[in-house]
Amino acid sequence: MSPSNPSQIRKTPRQRRSAETVEAILTAAAHILEKEGFDAATTNHVAVKAGVSIGSLYQYFPNKESLVRALNDRHTREILELLRKRFVEVRKAPMEDSVKAIVRAMVEVHRVNPALHRVLVNIVPSIGGLAETRVVEDSATNLLSQFLKARAAELRPLNPDLSAFMLVHAVEALTHAAVLEHPELLKGDVFVNEASLMILGYLRGSAEASKHPPPRAAKK
Amino acid sequence: MSPSNPSQIRKTPRQRRSAETVEAILTAAAHILEKEGFDAATTNHVAVKAGVSIGSLYQYFPNKESLVRALNDRHTREILELLRKRFVEVRKAPMEDSVKAIVRAMVEVHRVNPALHRVLVNIVPSIGGLAETRVVEDSATNLLSQFLKARAAELRPLNPDLSAFMLVHAVEALTHAAVLEHPELLKGDVFVNEASLMILGYLRGSAEASKHPPPRAAKK
DNA sequence: GGCAGATGTGAGTAAAAGCTCACATTCTTT
DNA sequence: AAAGAATGTGAGCTTTTACTCACATCTGCC
C-alpha cells in the first residue's frame, strides 16, 4: 500500500460509485461502534448496515483493523484541525479568554460523538494505531507548548514541554469525563470555568504559595 | 452464588488445593493480560499458563468476563484501600504535604502494574464492569470531597463535589500518562511536584487572578 | 480401607467471525 | 456497440474460541 495511506485502504476508488461505497462503510462502522460497541462491529454486520456486500468491504479494507483505523484517522484529523484553528485565533486574546476558548474547543470536539470517541481511544492502541495516537498527542502538546512560550511573560517560570504534557492529558481526561459522566456541566459555562481555573492556577502559580523555583526537568 | 461475590465465582474453594488453583488462574490471567493483551487472554491460554485444565477454570469462573472482573475487583480494592489509608494519614498534615502524599500514593498504585491497569480500565466497562468502575471513581471522589471540606479554610471558595470530580479525573489521567509515556518523570519528584502545582493552583486560585479580579463575571 | 464429596482432566462441540473467490453487474472509453 | 476495466455480490471456507461433559483422581472422615 502507498506509504501516504496510514489506514491502509486497499484500493483507491476511481468512480463516484465506489467512493460512495467506502463512505457508506465508514458511516455504518461509526454508527455500530458508537451504538453497539467494538464487539458488535463485525465485518459482516458493518457490510449489512452499509447496504453493501461483505466482498465490497474487503475490496477497500484489507482487514477489520484497517477499517477502524481509517475511522480513527479521519476523526483525529478533524480534532487537530479545529485545535490548530483555535490556537491561531486566540494568538492575541487575553490569557483567560484564550484558555477558555481552547477548553471550549475541546468540549465542542468531544461532544460531536463522545461514544465513538471513547471506543476509538480504547481500541485503537490495541489494533496497531498506537503510533497514530501518539502523533495526535504530540501535535496537541506542541501546539500548547508553543502557546506557552509565546505567553511566558504572563506566566510563572515553567518548562513549556512539561507543562503542555500535563495540561494536554488533564484537559483531555476532564473533557471525556464531563461529556460522558456529567453532561449537565456543559450546559452553561460551569465546566469551562472550572477547567480554566485549573489551567490558570497551574500556569500562574497558586495564590498563597507562588514562590516555587522553575522545574529543571528537560523533556525528551 | 453468595451476593457478596461481585465477580461471580462459581464455586467457593473448600480445600487448599482448589484455592491454589484459583490463585494460579488469576495470576496467569494477569500475566497474559499484561504482556499479551486482552485478545491473547483466551480461556484455554490462561488455563495452560496456569498449569490447570480448561475444565478447572470453568469450575470457578462461569465465563471469561467473570475472570477478568475478578481480577479487576481485586485490583481496585487494593487501590481504594491504599487511598483511604493515605487520606487518613494526611488528615493533619500541611496542605502541600497532604497533596504530595496523595499524588505519590496514586503513582505508587499505578506503578505496580501499569500495563494490567490500562488493560483493565479499557476492557472492564465493556464486559459489564461499568458499575464497579463507577463505584471506585465515586469512592475516590467522596474521599477527596471530604478532604476538601475539612480544609475549606485553606482554600478558595469552591464546590467540594465538583472540585473533587475535576481533580480525580485529572490526576488519574496524569498518573496514567506519566507512568506509560514518561516514566522518567517519576524518578525524582518532578511529576509529583508538577501535579501538586496543578492541584494547589486549582484549589487556591491563581496568583494574578486573585490580585486583580477578572474583567468579566466568572459565571454566566 | 473405603466411601463421599470435592476437585481435576481434556477431547470435543458449536457458534461466531474474518475473509476469499468465482462470478455478476456497471461504467468508461474508443 | 463492444470490450475491458472497475466495482459489486454472497455463499461458504477456515480458523478461532468459549464452553461442556463424562470420566478420573484426590482428600478428609468413619
Side-chain angles (χ1 to χ4, degrees):
Chain A
M1 327 292 157
S2 91
S4 62
N5 202 332
S7 53
Q8 285 166 262
I9 280 196
R10 184 176 256 176
K11 230 179 206 173
T12 305
R14 302 183 114 65
Q15 300 176 4
R16 187 183 309 153
R17 175 165 67 125
S18 57
E20 279 163 8
T21 299
V22 170
E23 188 54 40
I25 293 170
L26 288 173
T27 304
H31 268 109
I32 294 172
L33 284 176
E34 180 195 341
K35 309 267 183 193
E36 307 175 54
F38 183 71
D39 287 345
T42 69
T43 49
N44 284 283
H45 190 179
V46 169
V48 168
K49 182 131 189 173
V52 306
S53 82
I54 182 65
S56 290
L57 189 155
Y58 278 95
Q59 293 237 337
Y60 301 104
F61 302 96
N63 51 51
K64 191 187 172 177
E65 283 76 34
S66 70
L67 172 55
V68 177
R69 257 179 285 141
L71 265 184
N72 187 57
D73 288 352
R74 172 196 283 205
H75 193 241
T76 55
R77 224 175 293 127
E78 284 171 7
I79 289 181
L80 268 183
E81 261 168 47
L82 181 67
L83 280 184
R84 264 188 245 282
K85 212 177 100 186
R86 283 291 185 283
F87 270 105
V88 171
E89 283 172 8
V90 303
R91 205 178 285 173
K92 292 180 179 174
M95 191 62 194
E96 200 165 323
D97 294 347
S98 302
V99 167
K100 285 189 178 177
I102 292 163
V103 174
R104 274 200 200 91
M106 284 292 286
V107 172
E108 184 184 340
V109 149
H110 284 82
R111 275 223 283 197
V112 171
N113 206 331
L116 175 62
H117 185 84
R118 151 123 337 162
V119 170
L120 288 176
V121 166
N122 278 347
I123 252 62
V124 163
S126 70
I127 58 174
L130 209 152
E132 264 291 314
T133 301
R134 288 288 163 85
V135 166
V136 176
E137 273 177 23
D138 288 353
S139 303
T141 306
N142 278 335
L143 281 173
L144 183 51
S145 180
Q146 293 306 317
F147 175 84
L148 294 179
K149 277 175 202 154
R151 303 301 191 102
E154 302 173 59
L155 308 174
R156 69 170 165 84
L158 50 77
N159 173 335
D161 288 335
L162 178 57
S163 293
F165 167 79
M166 301 288 288
L167 287 175
V168 161
H169 285 280
V171 173
E172 166 84 1
L174 284 172
T175 310
H176 271 197
V179 166
L180 293 166
E181 294 178 36
H182 289 288
E184 78 277 6
L185 296 179
L186 304 175
K187 285 291 172 184
D189 263 356
V190 180
F191 175 75
V192 172
N193 287 335
E194 286 298 312
S196 301
L197 278 175
M198 191 180 295
I199 297 167
L200 291 171
Y202 176 55
L203 293 175
R204 286 172 169 166
S206 61
E208 277 162 74
S210 56
K211 54 238 176 201
H212 301 279
R216 295 255 347 126
K219 249 191 64 178
K220 285 193 177 172
Chain B
M1 297 287 161
S2 89
S4 62
N5 201 331
S7 53
Q8 284 165 262
I9 279 195
R10 185 174 256 177
K11 230 179 206 174
T12 306
R14 302 182 114 64
Q15 300 177 4
R16 188 184 308 155
R17 175 165 65 124
S18 57
E20 280 162 9
T21 299
V22 170
E23 189 53 41
I25 292 169
L26 287 173
T27 304
H31 268 110
I32 294 172
L33 283 176
E34 180 195 342
K35 310 268 185 194
E36 307 175 55
F38 183 72
D39 287 344
T42 69
T43 49
N44 284 283
H45 189 180
V46 169
V48 169
K49 181 132 189 172
V52 305
S53 82
I54 181 66
S56 289
L57 189 154
Y58 278 94
Q59 292 236 337
Y60 301 103
F61 302 96
N63 51 50
K64 189 186 172 179
E65 284 76 34
S66 71
L67 172 54
V68 177
R69 256 179 286 142
L71 264 184
N72 187 59
D73 287 353
R74 170 196 285 204
H75 193 240
T76 55
R77 224 174 293 124
E78 284 172 5
I79 290 182
L80 267 183
E81 261 168 47
L82 181 66
L83 279 184
R84 265 188 244 283
K85 212 177 99 186
R86 284 291 186 283
F87 269 105
V88 172
E89 284 173 7
V90 302
R91 205 178 284 174
K92 293 180 178 175
M95 190 63 194
E96 200 166 321
D97 295 345
S98 302
V99 167
K100 284 189 178 175
I102 292 164
V103 173
R104 273 200 202 90
M106 285 291 286
V107 172
E108 184 184 340
V109 149
H110 284 83
R111 275 223 282 200
V112 172
N113 206 330
L116 176 62
H117 185 84
R118 150 115 351 153
V119 170
L120 288 176
V121 165
N122 278 347
I123 252 62
V124 163
S126 70
I127 58 174
L130 209 152
E132 264 291 315
T133 301
R134 287 286 164 86
V135 166
V136 177
E137 272 176 23
D138 288 353
S139 303
T141 305
N142 278 336
L143 281 174
L144 183 51
S145 180
Q146 295 305 317
F147 176 82
L148 295 179
K149 277 175 201 154
R151 303 300 191 103
E154 304 172 59
L155 309 174
R156 68 169 166 84
L158 51 77
N159 173 338
D161 289 335
L162 177 57
S163 293
F165 167 79
M166 301 288 289
L167 286 176
V168 162
H169 286 280
V171 174
E172 165 86 2
L174 283 172
T175 310
H176 271 197
V179 166
L180 293 166
E181 295 179 37
H182 290 287
E184 78 277 6
L185 297 179
L186 305 175
K187 286 291 171 185
D189 262 356
V190 180
F191 175 76
V192 172
N193 287 336
E194 286 298 310
S196 300
L197 277 175
M198 191 180 295
I199 297 166
L200 291 171
Y202 175 56
L203 293 174
R204 287 172 168 165
S206 62
E208 269 163 79
S210 61
K211 278 178 206 154
H212 36 84
R216 281 165 224 165
K219 256 206 164 184
K220 193 180 182 184

XYZ file of all heavy atoms in Angstrom, chain B residues 17 51 63 82 87 93 111 119 130 132 154-155 165 197 215 220:
134
model
N -6.014 -27.037 48.005
C -5.714 -27.365 46.612
C -6.479 -26.480 45.623
O -5.920 -25.899 44.692
C -6.105 -28.847 46.435
C -6.014 -29.434 45.103
C -6.075 -30.971 45.207
N -7.344 -31.479 45.703
C -8.099 -32.378 45.043
N -7.688 -32.868 43.881
N -9.223 -32.805 45.551
N -1.298 -23.845 34.310
C -0.975 -25.236 34.589
C -2.164 -26.036 35.100
O -2.009 -27.018 35.810
N -17.567 -17.757 33.150
C -17.228 -17.322 31.802
C -15.993 -16.427 31.859
O -15.507 -16.080 32.932
C -18.402 -16.599 31.145
C -18.943 -15.513 32.047
O -18.194 -14.691 32.549
N -20.252 -15.539 32.283
N -5.477 1.609 49.718
C -4.307 2.469 49.889
C -4.708 3.936 49.948
O -4.199 4.700 50.789
C -3.315 2.244 48.736
C -2.053 3.090 48.867
C -1.236 2.661 50.076
C -1.202 3.008 47.600
N -5.415 9.078 52.932
C -6.252 10.219 53.300
C -6.339 10.351 54.814
O -6.368 11.456 55.357
C -7.652 10.100 52.685
C -7.758 10.745 51.335
C -7.796 9.984 50.181
C -7.802 12.124 51.225
C -7.892 10.584 48.929
C -7.890 12.738 49.974
C -7.933 11.960 48.828
N -1.752 16.904 58.244
C -0.520 17.427 57.647
C -0.797 18.749 56.942
O -1.942 19.042 56.596
C 0.039 16.407 56.668
N 2.103 2.254 39.534
C 3.361 1.697 39.074
C 3.455 0.207 39.306
O 4.298 -0.467 38.722
C 4.533 2.391 39.771
C 4.914 3.658 39.055
C 6.400 3.744 38.968
N 6.942 4.174 40.250
C 8.144 4.711 40.378
N 8.899 4.884 39.311
N 8.579 5.064 41.548
N -5.120 -2.147 30.661
C -5.994 -3.128 30.016
C -7.325 -3.224 30.755
O -8.395 -3.201 30.141
C -5.312 -4.505 29.952
C -6.307 -5.570 29.516
C -4.132 -4.476 28.994
N -18.913 -1.735 34.265
C -19.006 -0.280 34.330
C -19.438 0.191 35.708
O -18.919 1.157 36.251
C -19.969 0.237 33.266
C -19.681 1.636 32.728
C -20.188 1.774 31.297
C -20.281 2.715 33.591
N -18.956 -1.247 38.609
C -17.832 -1.349 39.535
C -16.856 -0.177 39.368
O -16.377 0.397 40.334
C -17.092 -2.675 39.302
C -17.508 -3.793 40.241
C -17.066 -3.548 41.680
O -15.902 -3.142 41.878
O -17.882 -3.725 42.594
N -8.387 26.678 54.161
C -7.114 26.940 53.481
C -7.272 27.148 51.986
O -6.278 27.346 51.278
C -6.152 25.762 53.706
C -5.891 25.439 55.169
C -5.085 24.151 55.327
O -3.961 24.104 54.780
O -5.580 23.199 55.969
N -8.512 27.065 51.505
C -8.716 27.080 50.054
C -9.627 28.226 49.626
O -10.338 28.808 50.439
C -9.329 25.751 49.616
C -8.592 24.495 50.102
C -9.380 23.249 49.721
C -7.180 24.462 49.514
N -14.476 15.972 41.660
C -14.672 15.341 40.353
C -13.571 15.754 39.390
O -12.938 14.912 38.728
C -16.044 15.743 39.799
C -16.239 15.423 38.342
C -16.552 14.139 37.931
C -16.086 16.425 37.381
C -16.717 13.839 36.582
C -16.252 16.136 36.027
C -16.566 14.837 35.641
N 1.472 21.272 41.835
C 1.295 22.666 41.397
C -0.085 22.850 40.774
O -0.770 23.847 41.022
C 2.353 23.034 40.349
C 3.729 23.451 40.856
C 4.679 23.664 39.681
C 3.604 24.735 41.673
N -11.886 40.691 34.481
C -12.710 41.805 33.990
C -14.179 41.428 33.853
O -15.046 42.242 34.060
C -12.105 42.115 32.614
C -11.312 40.895 32.234
C -10.862 40.292 33.513
N -21.625 32.632 34.182
C -22.524 33.132 33.153
C -23.964 32.866 33.527
O -24.271 31.770 33.933
C -22.205 32.414 31.854
C -22.833 33.021 30.641
C -22.405 32.174 29.427
C -22.943 32.724 28.137
N -22.583 31.839 27.041
